[in-house]
Amino acid sequence: MRFNAPMMNCGGSWVEVDLAQLGANAASIRNALGGADLMAVVKADAYGHGLAATASALRRANVKKFAVAYVAEAMVVRQAVPDAELILVLGVASPQDVAQLLAQRITPVVVSAEHGCDLAAAATAMDGRLPVHLKLDTGMGRLGFVCPQEVDAATRLCRLSGLDVRGVCTHFAMVELQRKPEASRGQVDKFLAALPVLEEAVGHRLTRHMSSTRGALLLPECDQDFVRVGIALYGYGASDATQRFATRPILQWKARVMQVKKVPADFAVGYYGSYRTTTATEVATISCGYTDGYQRYLGNHGHVLIGGERRRVVGRVSMNWITVDLGPDSGVRPGDEVTLIGEQDGAAIWADELATHCETIAYEILTGISRQIERRYHGGAAE
Ligand SMILES: Cc1ncc(COP(=O)(O)O)c(C=O)c1O
């Protein structure tokens, strides 16, 4: 049996990323900010857009601050953007990472007294002083020093010779000014109360940052030194032109028609025949499935664009294929381009539409597109 047969081009799906629009999105956010800077959140492979190409394009758009979840991601950013001013690890870096953090000028957040002591000990052991930002938990209930209870513990870290405490941050659990304004207000109050205590302990002003996309959009008074924006850079969560800034999606996901068949009424489509045609029609099989990140919830619910028209996904989503009811005499042929996410001839399907069908958020749709799918870049030097 031969296992090394050349790959057949079976026409899978691919992603197209518009780096020029990414630059425009960054400019739109930055222009709205006034004095504060923009930190680009590029964790999770830049929300599925491809980390190195996205970070490089953002640098060309004059973004010099980046946030990631893991040290490994930070290393990719450092390589793509050698002159990045700040690469912040939002997750929990370990003492074993300290040599790399120092060598590559990567700044971790410190989330607890124990974490800070461990990082400080590792840095001291190599005669180093590790730049860090303190992460305060003001209401997210996730990572960080619980405020106000653990602020004292954070101040003690400021005196360790192995740590160079440069910044302090927090993260909003919600910014809902109509429904629950007191939630973000409470977080802001706790953060602002901790600042002078920490700054007195460290003996200098700390760089401060609080807001992600919703805070940046709705709480301009919380901009502080910079905002950590993710989803709006990729064109979601900020589409309302009357708000502080507006951005457009930059990612399209495309596939091809593999087969078109004419079928009679009452014809069963897909596993368990969950769709039966009501009239004679045409059914197209498309080259993507749940292994690519096309969620099973979209079976019998989602739409795709073919020939500029919306066509309904019918039957269950299979591992590698989906099926679409084209209607009679569609003119659609094998090889035709299918837009799963994106625009065709003025019609559009964006990740938030898919997210609604799947009872999730655009973040999960974007980050769920398989990393194995080719990303093609347009509108930038990465082309
Ligand atoms: C700590 C932190 N800051 C900023 C962001 C960016 O959030 P958004 O994509 O909503 O702008 C995230 C995203 O998960 C985060 O975890």
Side-chain angles (χ1 to χ4, degrees):
M1 195 187 286
R2 287 180 60 197
F3 289 101
N4 59 350
M7 284 266 290
M8 272 207 315
N9 182 359
C10 297
S13 66
W14 69 96
V15 162
E16 294 179 6
V17 180
D18 181 348
L19 296 178
Q21 185 61 46
L22 174 64
N25 288 348
S28 156
I29 298 165
R30 183 197 296 288
N31 294 341
L33 291 178
D37 201 359
L38 168 64
M39 168 175 269
V41 180
V42 291
K43 62 197 175 87
D45 204 26
Y47 289 39
H49 294 67
L51 179 52
T54 300
S56 305
L58 285 165
R59 174 63 188 90
R60 291 193 294 278
N62 219 18
V63 174
K64 294 184 187 160
K65 295 185 172 73
F66 297 87
V68 293
Y70 302 113
V71 175
E73 295 172 319
M75 304 285 284
V76 175
V77 176
R78 177 55 78 206
Q79 195 166 7
V81 187
D83 68 344
E85 268 169 19
L86 178 57
I87 303 176
L88 189 68
V89 176
L90 298 169
V92 181
S94 83
Q96 288 78 42
D97 295 323
V98 166
Q100 263 180 340
L101 296 172
L102 287 167
Q104 300 294 323
R105 292 172 292 120
I106 294 165
T107 305
V109 298
V110 171
V111 301
S112 68
E114 191 186 4
H115 183 219
C117 288
D118 288 350
L119 293 180
T124 305
M126 49 192 81
D127 288 330
R129 195 150 186 258
L130 182 66
V132 297
H133 288 201
L134 299 173
K135 183 152 188 167
L136 303 185
D137 179 359
T138 56
M140 178 69 181
R142 202 170 62 177
L143 295 172
F145 294 88
V146 176
C147 283
Q149 296 88 331
E150 295 178 352
V151 172
D152 269 355
T155 62
R156 284 194 289 279
L157 290 183
C158 297
R159 300 184 192 106
L160 296 179
S161 63
L163 296 184
D164 175 7
V165 178
R166 294 189 179 176
V168 56
C169 59
T170 194
H171 188 51
F172 288 115
M174 70 171 91
V175 179
E176 291 296 335
L177 300 187
Q178 310 299 327
R179 280 195 296 127
K180 257 195 152 223
E182 69 283 5
S184 47
R185 188 71 252 160
Q187 289 198 249
V188 174
D189 290 346
K190 286 181 182 174
F191 186 73
L192 296 181
L195 280 181
V197 183
L198 294 167
E199 289 184 342
E200 195 188 325
V202 78
H204 58 78
R205 185 184 182 283
L206 292 168
T207 298
R208 307 136 182 211
H209 47 112
M210 308 179 76
S211 288
S212 52
T213 292
R214 277 189 72 77
L217 260 184
L218 302 173
L219 297 173
E221 67 277 18
C222 293
D223 281 356
Q224 303 288 355
D225 294 307
F226 58 83
V227 294
R228 303 181 308 267
V229 174
I231 199 74
L233 278 173
Y234 309 105
Y236 290 90
S239 56
D240 181 348
T242 65
Q243 286 189 313
R244 198 176 179 208
F245 52 82
T247 62
R248 287 179 46 76
I250 62 170
L251 177 150
Q252 301 197 72
W253 187 10
K254 297 185 176 174
R256 296 242 176 241
V257 174
M258 305 175 75
Q259 184 178 10
V260 179
K261 58 176 67 167
K262 288 188 185 301
V263 299
D266 203 32
F267 182 82
V269 179
Y271 285 116
Y272 293 89
S274 69
Y275 180 73
R276 297 190 88 87
T277 57
T278 52
T279 56
T281 186
E282 292 175 0
V283 171
T285 302
I286 314 290
S287 59
C288 84
Y290 60 75
T291 189
D292 304 305
Y294 200 83
Q295 310 258 336
R296 285 184 77 250
Y297 291 100
L298 295 167
N300 289 318
H301 290 105
H303 290 83
V304 301
L305 301 173
I306 310 176
E309 282 186 43
R310 292 175 80 88
R311 320 275 185 167
R312 189 166 150 220
V313 177
V314 294
R316 291 193 184 175
V317 171
S318 304
M319 186 180 288
N320 298 93
W321 301 295
I322 57 173
T323 33
V324 170
D325 192 338
L326 298 172
D329 305 318
S330 68
V332 172
R333 298 274 165 270
D336 284 1
E337 191 169 290
V338 180
T339 298
L340 309 167
I341 295 176
E343 273 177 322
Q344 248 189 29
D345 300 336
I349 293 174
W350 296 115
D352 39 11
E353 176 181 328
L354 272 57
T356 303
H357 286 305
C358 302
E359 292 184 20
T360 183
I361 48 180
Y363 299 68
E364 192 182 6
I365 299 294
L366 294 171
T367 59
I369 301 173
S370 167
R371 304 286 153 86
Q372 288 178 17
I373 291 176
E374 184 193 355
R375 267 64 174 168
R376 299 179 186 167
Y377 296 96
H378 305 291
E383 262 177 285

